[in-house]
Amino acid sequence: MSHDISDRRHAVAEEQAFLDLALARHAAVLAQLEAEIAAAPADDVGRARSASLRRRHAELRHAGEALVFGRLDAADGKVRHIGRIGLHRADPGLTGTPHDASSTPSEDNEPLVLDWRAPASRPFYTATPLHPQGQARRRHVRVDGPTVTGVDDEPLDHSHDGRSSRAAALVGEGALLSALGQRRTGRMTTAIATLQREQDDIVRADADGPLIVQGGPGTGKTVVALHRVAYLLFTHRRMADQAVLVLGPSARFLDYITQVLPALGETAVVSTTCDDLVPGVRVQREESRVLAEIKGRSSWQAAIESLVAEHRPTATDLTAHWDGEEFVVPAAQVTHSLAAVAARPYHDARRVFSEQFRQILTDAVVERREAMLTEVEEGYEDILEKFDRSSAAPGGPAGGASGVEVDGALTEDDVEELRERIAGSAAVDAVLTAWWPDLDPAPMLRRLLSSPQALRRHAPHLTDDEIALIAAEPEGWSPGDVPLLDALADALGEPTPPPAPGEFIADRARAQRGWVYGHVVVDEAQELSEMQWRMVLRRCPSRSVTAVGDIDQAEASHRHTSWAQAVRSTFGDRWRAAELTICYRTPREVMDLTGPVLEKAGSRNSPPRAVRSSGVTPWEETMTEDEIPARTAQLVAGMRERWAGGTVGVVTTAARAGALTAALPGVPVLTATGAKGLEWDATLVVDPAGITAGPRGWNGLYVALTRCTQELGQVHVTPESSRTGGIVSE
């Protein structure tokens, strides 16, 4: 035993010495970057370089916590330390991109710390005793700030040692279970030190098309999605140039994950929700599930296109005045130009047509002027014939002149000047704008949704009852309106190209509705409607999309019960599926309760396999309506005391949430929908029967039961009172 303790102390001291070295190098690089930023010249080149250096500085600064978390000892004796971001031993390349210390290191420039995303780091996540991949040992290094607090060594150079199949399936089991047992803080942290093989396979999967990841509660869907963002930005520089979009289910969820990507060294990321995806548009009210389902149908795309087509101008003679003369572009010529831009968005088509019209007008003005000049010159030559040719100057009657003075043709400079004047003419612009006006998508959509006649004309898929429901809605945008507004704005296009403010790529992307991202990640993707999926596709036409979710946790108003149904209207059959099968977060004691719940929810999937036990048996208590506020407060106080330093959350019905929030100050009280993606040490589910009484209620209860990492309690309400207080109305 003393020998083991001595070995462990030696290992901790060894890793502490290395961490000290890495932190010193990290500080030196930050100082060097700060000096270069300060010395950058004030010209355009200097400003661009300064922006690049500041991005690198931010990435390195965020990655300073837990800079080193692992080590690989190869069978040939080579030792590599793994960290959040790559660090070189020497100066070359240090102030470049964070990817300088990536990929396969050369012997001349072996990184001090190898980036966890580099190919050489992958055995840290995938090597096993059965398949060591040339490695003799994997070491997990636990740190607290600048201090190494422990190490976990895992030999890899021997055959299977008789461990259980469960343990053999885990990489770094000790470090993983230690991390899972820690108190929850209310913010997600990185898991780069404990990613498991099935998770790492998804993180590093190709990004050449849609990847749909099915994963039950606690399987690490969000962890995988965010680490995949970091990996793709590291591996594909073009994605960093375009930014990555992360769509989450709620603002609370985004706040929960806000630290993860900066801690992984990535800043080229825009995180938002579908409700906030269109710049300048804010959801002002909720809508019923019935209306949400109606507005989520993909058939609205055709309705939007029909509406825009109705507003496009029809061919007619177009008259413009120039220098006091009238010029008419005939309808036949207008028809030809309109056909050439028919496939373009409304405002983009108008811009191109305007350029063509101005060119046609320029040609007409030139033709008329040259005809007039030719007539004048012919008359001038007739006059000259009356004079004695001997009196004419050498070179002909024009005395060596050129251009219109000789042959009635305008010079190139004359034509170019005319073209510029017509291009900038407000009068010509007024003619075009009157015939082909600017359109604002917001009032245009409001008119459509409030008019039964317009809805019947453009949305024949709607029934009379559905039209009446839509037309009777109050003012203000609802969540279902945002995808329709986005579709309309896309079909119209921008009247003028938007500016691109902001120093960081994410700032520019966030400000522009039409920004094209290098990749899109969708969390809780099972909740998206067909029209929301179309919003995703507009922002990533390459279809480089990763969607993670659990179809069994779907609570949205749409009727999808499989991933094929959910994404068919957007991706057809051109998507790949992956699955996370191991539950790391939710203990076995809780997962054992979920089988009957899934069955009643109509699930076709098996619940994920839990790999850990909390040792806490789920408990239940029944009480009357009157007892709920005070008794619930007592139960939550006990849970908070048992899990001091951690978190406790309450999940209940929408009807009870307000009263319980007032009774439990400082405790998150959420519906099952609001709790999606979140986790607490202990969860109290109040009125499970009320949750199941709502639409897709068994799916909601499945969500509610699986939010904890340690303890689950349920409060049942006596049937008499739950009929009035616990049922969520539609």
Side-chain angles (χ1 to χ4, degrees), residues 577-654:
E579 186 173 6
L580 295 166
T581 63
I582 301 174
C583 175
Y584 307 100
R585 178 191 70 212
T586 312
R588 278 195 297 276
E589 293 88 346
V590 173
M591 290 307 297
D592 288 344
L593 302 177
T594 61
V597 175
L598 281 177
E599 184 177 350
K600 290 180 180 179
S603 171
R604 305 173 187 176
N605 303 310
S606 299
R609 177 170 54 90
V611 297
R612 58 182 284 270
S613 170
S614 68
V616 181
T617 302
W619 52 268
E620 302 174 68
E621 186 170 321
T622 301
M623 62 188 68
T624 66
E625 185 74 35
D626 293 340
E627 293 173 318
I628 288 178
R631 181 58 181 151
T632 298
Q634 291 175 350
L635 294 174
V636 169
M639 298 170 89
R640 295 180 80 176
E641 184 177 349
R642 287 191 292 277
W643 304 104
T647 56
V648 176
V650 175
V651 184
T652 188
T653 65

Side-chain angles (χ1 to χ4, degrees), residues 356-399:
Q356 294 177 350
F357 178 82
R358 292 169 194 271
Q359 182 58 52
I360 291 169
L361 180 59
T362 300
D363 292 343
V365 172
V366 169
E367 183 179 356
R368 183 173 296 183
R369 285 191 176 181
E370 289 184 340
M372 293 174 61
L373 289 170
T374 298
E375 292 177 3
V376 169
E377 182 169 324
E378 288 176 351
Y380 178 60
E381 290 177 350
D382 290 342
I383 293 172
L384 288 178
E385 288 178 357
K386 298 177 181 179
F387 293 91
D388 183 4
R389 290 182 179 275
S390 62
S391 64

Side-chain angles (χ1 to χ4, degrees), residues 524-542:
E524 300 295 345
Q526 75 277 358
E527 304 299 341
L528 267 62
S529 70
E530 292 175 336
M531 288 302 291
Q532 286 173 326
W533 275 113
R534 288 180 177 269
M535 292 176 74
V536 172
L537 190 57
R538 286 186 203 104
R539 285 154 179 81
C540 193
S542 67

